Amino acid sequence: MHQPATGAPSDQKFPPAINIIALASFSAALSTRALDPVLPHVAEDFSISVTTAASIAAGYALIYALVQPVIGAAADMFGKARLMTLCLALLGVASILGAVATTFSGLFASRILAGIASGGVFPVALGLTADLVVPAKRQVAIGRTLAGSMTGNLLGATASGIIGELIGWRGVLMILGALGLIAAVAVAAGFRGAALTAAPKTDLKALRQGYRTIFANPNTRYCYSAVFVEGCCVFGLFPFIAALLFDLGEKSPSIAGIVIAGFAIGGLFYTFTVSRFLPWLGVKGMMIAGAGLVALQLGALAFGPQWKLQFLSMLAMGWGFYMIHGCLQVFASELSIGARATAMSLHSFFFFMGQTVGPIAYGLGLQHGGKMPTLFASAAIMVVLGLVCARMLKPRAPSDARA
């Protein structure tokens, strides 16, 4: 990525606020995959099919995606840290409402509200991280923010399976709600004492110029298209993992939670190794290797191995996924300087639109084509994605940086 003409040297240490941002990402990520291990039990309680219950994940992802353009603009105009804190509180309330829902439509509505709230945390956290760290160290800093998110995904999926087995899926949401409210208070207190350099307030005219800057960059169409495909092929599978394990005779929610958590452990492995692999492979090599590793694991899962081997495949898939996804996030952070939160929120918009389409596509594929053809098709798409990204994405300074 380009070096700015002015700013802190590339060897600066990360500011303490990066740790607070990681905490916010962790808190929001706890609920993202929390219902996946217990979806079959949600389906039983409301007397619906697993495919219908999986619509919770699609609805969550859809609303998360749709609020991104608004969230990004609001963060650029009114402050990223303030918006994250408010959304954490809303996420806690939404989870508690889901825990006491008496109908599936009520639960669905609460997850829609949770999607809105979660949409104001992670992409804004990435934008704030990019504001605080120079480009030379940005991928490693974003990796630290990702570590918070991956830890949340790991604990959310694993704890959900265990808690769901002990006290049911309602207990999962109640505990997550309480943790969300506690996190909102903690993060608000942390940001109040953090030495953040506030960006100038963005007016509507500057916001429009920011959108023009973003979409004038040739990287934009490849970057956003790529994360859409990632969301479809990788995260679209997650709501069906528990059901596929059920078909193999593994009906324990805790087992499903452990398998899903393997992906998050792979993501954590990425955050610990990115500083070593990036100089060795380069950005192009990271994207090709990451996409190829994801494709191999999708192919392995198609054969329906025992859950321990599925856990290892999910771990490797998580590592490979973030090898390519981390590169795409850095490219997205460089689409604009003045509208960076908007650029990152649009990045999340396309990513979660992919996660909206993905469960629907997987549901149709599994129902009409079968497990092996569906997973093999996703694997082939990921291979092509890695090659296209490596060829078409190049470091380009945003026009507002030159201005």
Side-chain angles (χ1 to χ4, degrees):
M1 298 300 159
H2 78 283
Q3 290 286 351
T6 61
S10 63
D11 61 349
Q12 72 172 31
K13 295 181 179 180
F14 296 143
I18 296 296
N19 295 326
I20 301 172
I21 295 168
L23 174 61
S25 299
F26 167 80
S27 303
L30 278 173
S31 68
T32 302
R33 308 247 67 93
L35 288 185
D36 286 353
V38 295
L39 276 180
H41 298 277
V42 173
E44 287 180 5
D45 282 359
F46 290 115
S47 300
I48 57 177
S49 68
V50 173
T51 300
T52 301
S55 67
I56 291 176
Y60 182 100
L62 175 61
I63 196 64
Y64 189 115
L66 293 178
V67 300
Q68 291 310 304
V70 177
I71 288 291
D76 281 327
M77 294 180 70
F78 304 115
K80 301 179 183 70
R82 182 184 304 166
L83 185 62
M84 280 198 300
T85 303
L86 292 174
C87 286
L88 280 170
L90 179 60
L91 183 59
V93 171
S95 297
I96 293 172
L97 290 175
V100 299
T102 57
T103 64
F104 178 72
S105 60
L107 174 62
F108 189 92
S110 73
R111 297 307 292 169
I112 293 296
L113 186 62
I116 295 172
S118 185
V121 179
F122 184 64
V124 177
L126 292 178
L128 190 54
T129 300
D131 285 346
L132 293 170
V133 180
V134 296
K137 300 193 73 175
R138 190 168 293 154
Q139 186 154 351
V140 177
I142 286 177
R144 183 172 297 185
T145 302
L146 280 172
S149 178
M150 288 302 97
T151 305
N153 279 332
L154 168 61
L155 294 180
T158 305
S160 171
I162 297 172
I163 295 170
E165 194 160 354
L166 294 175
I167 59 176
W169 62 267
R170 294 183 186 275
V172 172
L173 290 178
M174 187 63 71
I175 292 174
L176 287 175
L179 292 175
L181 294 175
I182 293 171
V185 174
V187 173
F191 274 114
R192 187 180 299 116
L196 299 178
T197 301
K201 301 298 182 183
T202 305
D203 56 29
L204 292 177
K205 181 179 179 180
L207 186 61
R208 288 193 296 270
Q209 180 59 42
Y211 273 101
R212 284 194 291 268
T213 300
I214 292 167
F215 286 99
N217 194 316
N219 282 341
T220 298
R221 59 181 177 271
Y222 299 110
C223 188
Y224 290 166
S225 298
V227 294
F228 174 83
V229 174
E230 283 183 328
C232 286
C233 292
V234 178
F235 283 84
L237 176 64
F238 278 37
F240 297 96
I241 288 176
L244 293 175
L245 287 168
F246 263 45
D247 293 340
L248 297 175
E250 295 289 351
K251 298 188 176 182
S252 170
S254 60
I255 295 297
I258 291 170
V259 171
I260 294 171
F263 187 90
I265 295 174
L268 283 173
F269 184 72
Y270 161 80
T271 67
F272 298 144
T273 59
V274 58
S275 60
R276 298 177 182 270
F277 279 93
L278 185 59
W280 178 40
L281 294 175
V283 173
K284 292 181 182 294
M286 290 278 282
M287 291 190 286
I288 293 173
L293 189 54
V294 170
L296 285 174
Q297 305 319 310
L298 287 170
L301 291 174
F303 291 98
Q306 63 168 311
W307 73 266
K308 293 178 182 178
L309 294 178
Q310 290 199 33
F311 168 81
L312 293 176
S313 286
M314 291 296 289
L315 189 153
M317 188 189 298
W319 182 29
F321 171 80
Y322 283 101
M323 286 176 71
I324 179 172
H325 190 69
C327 295
L328 295 175
Q329 285 176 321
V330 173
F331 277 113
S333 75
E334 290 291 283
L335 296 176
S336 172
I337 302 299
R340 182 170 280 139
T342 301
M344 297 307 294
S345 290
L346 287 171
H347 178 272
S348 288
F349 168 80
F350 286 100
F351 184 40
F352 276 83
M353 283 302 295
Q355 293 188 45
T356 302
V357 174
I360 298 171
Y362 267 104
L364 293 173
L366 292 170
Q367 183 176 359
H368 299 290
K371 180 168 64 175
M372 294 187 71
T374 300
L375 291 177
F376 284 158
S378 292
I381 292 170
M382 286 301 301
V383 170
V384 173
L385 180 70
L387 295 173
V388 171
C389 287
R391 179 176 177 84
M392 305 307 299
L393 286 170
K394 301 175 182 178
R396 295 180 173 93
S399 59
D400 57 355
R402 292 192 295 269

